[in-house]
Amino acid sequence: MAGEPMGIYPDTGADFNGAPDIDHLNTRVQRELSDWMNWIKTEIGFDGWRFDFAKGYSPDITKLYMRNTRPEFAVGEIWNPLSYGSDGKPNYDQDGHRRELTEWVKAVGGSATAFDFTTKGILQAALVEGELWRLKDSNGGPPGMIGLVLENAVTFVDNHDTGSTQKHWPFPSDKVMQRYVYILTHPGFPSIIYDHFFDWGLKEEISKLAMIRIKNGIRASSTVRILASDPDLYVAAIDDKIIAKIGPRYEAGHLVPTNFRIATCGNDYVV
């Protein structure tokens, strides 16, 4: 680029063969990208950013673009593999994995969120293997990112990479609604993929859960009290306003106060 020395700045993140590197340490790149981002925010009407493959560049770079553009909302994709045991299953303790996400959020200034890949992986393993005991960490709380920094976690079932047309890590189709029960009743910012809502015929079920969340004022910062986390049963009270039950075990009445009523139910779930 004219006026800027090129080829002297080190790479600041992980490599990705699907796209060329952009020199984010170059001040002209920083200025022109910031100008473009501000243009699509003010002229086109975008409210926020999704930082794709955010580990491909330093958190300091993300922090700079956040400071220069001040979006209403921003989320970063930090997709690292879970830790696995010799049996090929994810280890029970995924604290290191979720702390990578929280450290990224901290490094970019604390105003951005991150996709909670830890929760996705743990819940996927728990439902597939019939190991719902995984849904409570050693401190008695949620085992994913929402167990550490609730208001900076974006929970999800699948996205365009993990599911949809690419299917790199898809959630089992027969467990998808149980997953939505979890993210739409628990803390964090839940996200719904277009495919499930419009193409899979799940609009009515998902909408019911969303309305239950809104009606009861469940927020990203809501508190979770886990009442049961057995192989075939997970029960949690959120803000002591709603109780979510996931798993094939039918009887959980002793855990639910008598003044609670069923708001919605489906295959292996009740709210």
Side-chain angles (χ1 to χ4, degrees):
M1 295 183 180
E4 292 282 355
M6 299 182 68
I8 63 172
Y9 298 111
D11 199 336
T12 64
D15 191 28
F16 178 65
N17 295 327
D21 279 343
I22 296 177
D23 186 1
H24 289 287
L25 295 180
N26 186 295
T27 56
R28 180 176 172 182
V29 171
Q30 294 173 1
R31 182 175 64 254
E32 292 188 354
L33 270 179
S34 296
D35 288 346
W36 176 75
M37 293 167 77
N38 280 318
W39 178 79
I40 64 173
K41 186 176 76 167
T42 57
E43 297 297 325
I44 306 301
F46 279 76
D47 293 315
W49 317 129
R50 178 188 189 275
F51 292 101
D52 192 49
F53 195 68
K55 66 180 183 179
Y57 39 90
S58 166
D60 290 335
I61 299 299
T62 306
K63 185 177 183 179
L64 180 145
Y65 291 129
M66 288 287 292
R67 184 176 65 245
N68 288 352
T69 62
R70 301 189 181 280
E72 291 293 324
F73 187 81
V75 58
E77 180 201 45
I78 309 293
W79 184 1
N80 292 319
L82 301 179
S83 64
Y84 287 83
S86 58
D87 59 358
K89 296 181 181 181
N91 290 320
Y92 166 71
D93 185 358
Q94 296 292 335
D95 193 57
H97 188 273
R98 63 179 177 174
R99 288 192 181 280
E100 289 179 339
L101 300 176
T102 61
E103 287 301 315
W104 180 86
V105 166
K106 181 179 178 181
V108 302
S111 58
T113 64
F115 286 112
D116 191 350
F117 280 95
T118 315
T119 291
K120 173 180 168 58
I122 292 173
L123 189 55
Q124 200 154 316
L127 289 170
V128 170
E129 301 293 338
E131 298 173 343
L132 296 176
W133 48 264
R134 292 178 176 272
L135 300 183
K136 182 169 71 172
D137 69 12
S138 59
N139 295 315
M145 186 182 179
I146 60 170
L148 294 179
V149 286
L150 304 77
E151 296 178 81
N152 293 100
V154 173
T155 53
F156 66 104
V157 177
D158 270 319
N159 59 30
H160 66 286
D161 289 321
T162 64
S164 192
T165 56
Q166 298 195 75
K167 295 181 173 61
H168 292 310
W169 193 26
F171 212 87
S173 59
D174 62 330
K175 309 292 186 184
V176 161
M177 278 310 304
Q178 295 171 53
R179 173 66 164 131
Y180 275 115
V181 168
Y182 188 92
I183 69 171
L184 287 170
T185 60
H186 282 55
F189 291 97
S191 59
I192 301 167
I193 190 171
Y194 180 100
D195 307 48
H196 294 159
F197 197 75
F198 290 105
D199 299 338
W200 284 36
L202 301 177
K203 181 177 180 179
E204 183 177 353
E205 289 182 87
I206 293 174
S207 296
K208 285 181 181 178
L209 292 168
M211 290 308 299
I212 291 168
R213 182 182 184 90
I214 294 169
K215 181 180 178 180
N216 289 277
I218 305 304
R219 302 180 181 275
S221 58
S222 290
T223 60
V224 177
R225 187 163 54 91
I226 299 175
L227 306 176
S229 58
D230 300 328
D232 59 349
L233 177 68
Y234 173 81
V235 182
I238 301 85
D239 286 345
D240 286 326
K241 295 179 179 178
I242 62 174
I243 295 176
K245 177 262 182 189
I246 300 171
R249 191 196 302 179
Y250 179 78
E251 180 54 47
H254 65 288
L255 298 173
V256 181
T258 56
N259 62 318
F260 275 64
R261 297 291 182 267
I262 294 176
T264 189
C265 61
N267 183 34
D268 288 345
Y269 74 83
V270 179
V271 179

